[in-house]
Amino acid sequence: MAGQLSIAKALNEALRKSLENDPKTVLMGEDIGKLGGVFRITDGLQKDFGDDRVIDTPLAESGIVGTAIGLALRGYRPVVEIQFDGFVYPAFDQIVSQLAKMHARALGHVKMPITVRIPFGGGIGAVEHHSESHEAYFAHTAGLRVVSPSNAHDAHWMLRQSIESDDPVVFLEPKRRYWDKGEVGEDPMLPLHSARVVRPGTDATLIAYGPMVKVCQEAAQAAEEDGRRLEVVDLRSLSPIDFATLEESVKRTGRGIVVHEAPVFLGLGAELAARLTERCFYHLEAPILRVGGYHAPYPPSRVEETYLPDLDRVLDAVDRALAF
């Protein structure tokens, strides 16, 4: 398993291992079987495990998740794929009203070991409903775990950890990073819901997840040329959030900047900024700042580079934080 893999291949290997390790694990989704998924994440799995475990479904997201809930009640461990982020909304009621509530409704007697895989975010030049960042909806919903990897190692191990969880997990895959390669080690290194400092620094903390971690690392590299040492923290888990790691970093640097693709307005950065302000107030040299998308529908591909946060917008926030 160890070696250089793309994020897409790391996810494929995670699904393969999960299918091998537990005969009750089943995959469901549109075009995931014979085609191997639109991003080829499930490539070859139906051929090797059969169409009763890697199941091509109708184009019916509500039915896919609803069926997965029924399978979980019968002792299975379903992994469902939502083909594109914007297609999840027909299944939203099943996810937030049934999947997230079933464990509490049954007073703990019923488990929902379901993983909902969703390629999310922009940057691939797609059409409408193919570039959404809707993580705040799911992080706001009690009863769901929400995670997002940023590299091949985490993609592999976090998916396996999610599938092994007895709680429902919304697993957000940064689709524009599918082809980025990285080392995949022999063990997960961290629990599923731990944040990770990916670059140490002293002057400000950049907090990101999924597709924006790479942008923040590039921003930190650029800032170093000007003598600024930025710490980069990969959130990894969006619910629950590892606030202990974030607090430690922000208290040490005195400044925090949250970066995500989703709109800034009521995005995940709002909760992070509010909570860190409460907990780190007397250590802060500047307000916690946020960098994200605009409060507007995701634009046509021709102008999506203007919409998406980039290195310059992150560095502008760093300038504003350091100016206090």
Side-chain angles (χ1 to χ4, degrees):
M1 218 5 261
Q4 289 278 328
L5 296 178
S6 67
I7 288 179
K9 183 61 175 175
L11 292 167
N12 179 273
E13 288 296 326
L15 293 170
R16 179 176 295 278
K17 290 291 185 183
S18 297
L19 288 163
E20 289 173 352
N21 293 341
D22 186 352
K24 289 291 189 179
T25 298
V26 295
L27 312 186
M28 303 168 57
E30 299 162 4
D31 297 319
I32 69 166
K34 188 176 294 184
L35 181 65
V38 292
F39 294 105
R40 304 300 186 268
I41 305 302
T42 54
D43 189 39
L45 298 180
Q46 189 180 76
K47 176 176 68 68
D48 294 340
F49 294 94
D51 58 10
D52 58 340
R53 296 193 64 200
V54 182
I55 305 164
D56 279 316
T57 67
L59 306 183
E61 287 77 15
S62 181
I64 295 169
V65 176
T67 301
I69 292 169
L71 285 168
L73 289 170
R74 299 292 292 176
Y76 288 87
R77 197 167 287 272
V79 183
V80 305
E81 178 183 295
I82 303 298
Q83 194 171 74
F84 279 93
D85 33 42
F87 298 173
V88 75
Y89 298 116
F92 193 74
D93 181 47
Q94 289 285 2
I95 294 171
V96 303
S97 299
Q98 305 299 334
L99 182 59
K101 306 294 193 296
M102 193 68 72
H103 184 74
R105 186 181 299 142
L107 302 178
H109 295 292
V110 171
K111 297 176 180 178
M112 282 285 113
I114 296 174
T115 302
V116 182
R117 293 181 42 244
I118 309 176
F120 87 117
I124 64 167
V127 296
E128 190 177 23
H129 304 310
H130 290 68
S131 302
E132 308 288 330
S133 294
H134 44 218
E135 55 269 26
Y137 294 134
F138 298 116
H140 183 72
T141 302
L144 297 176
R145 299 178 184 270
V146 185
V147 300
S148 182
S150 67
N151 58 75
H153 177 88
D154 283 347
H156 178 85
W157 286 106
M158 288 172 68
L159 182 54
R160 289 177 65 175
Q161 290 170 317
S162 297
I163 295 170
E164 291 166 4
S165 171
D166 285 334
D167 295 322
V169 180
V170 175
F171 191 89
L172 300 170
E173 300 170 6
K175 68 169 81 76
R176 65 166 155 150
R177 305 297 183 205
Y178 272 145
W179 300 276
D180 290 1
K181 290 188 175 182
E183 190 78 18
V184 177
E186 295 287 356
D187 62 77
M189 296 173 61
L190 288 173
L192 179 61
H193 298 295
S194 293
R196 180 166 62 95
V197 176
V198 296
R199 182 187 178 105
T202 56
D203 297 328
T205 299
L206 302 180
I207 301 168
Y209 54 87
M212 297 310 297
V213 173
K214 184 175 182 179
V215 174
C216 287
Q217 288 176 296
E218 292 169 349
Q221 182 66 40
E224 192 169 37
E225 298 174 6
D226 295 327
R228 297 170 171 177
R229 297 192 63 221
L230 304 181
E231 183 149 300
V232 180
V233 180
D234 184 351
L235 197 58
R236 299 176 76 247
S237 177
L238 285 55
S239 181
I241 291 172
D242 178 8
F243 278 107
T245 297
L246 302 184
E247 286 177 44
E248 182 183 350
S249 176
V250 171
K251 286 179 178 179
R252 186 172 59 254
T253 66
R255 295 172 172 85
I257 299 163
V258 186
V259 184
H260 52 58
E261 282 192 16
V264 169
F265 183 72
L266 291 181
L268 199 68
E271 174 65 23
L272 290 165
R275 193 74 65 95
L276 289 171
T277 299
E278 290 175 3
R279 297 187 179 187
C280 306
F281 184 79
Y282 291 106
H283 298 266
L284 292 176
E285 302 291 340
I288 304 292
L289 301 180
R290 294 174 290 158
V291 179
Y294 301 108
H295 192 44
Y298 197 90
S301 59
R302 184 176 295 182
V303 294
E304 71 175 344
E305 289 187 8
T306 303
Y307 176 88
L308 291 171
D310 59 8
L311 182 147
D312 289 335
R313 281 164 63 183
V314 174
L315 291 177
D316 176 70
V318 172
D319 288 341
R320 286 187 283 125
L322 291 172
F324 277 88

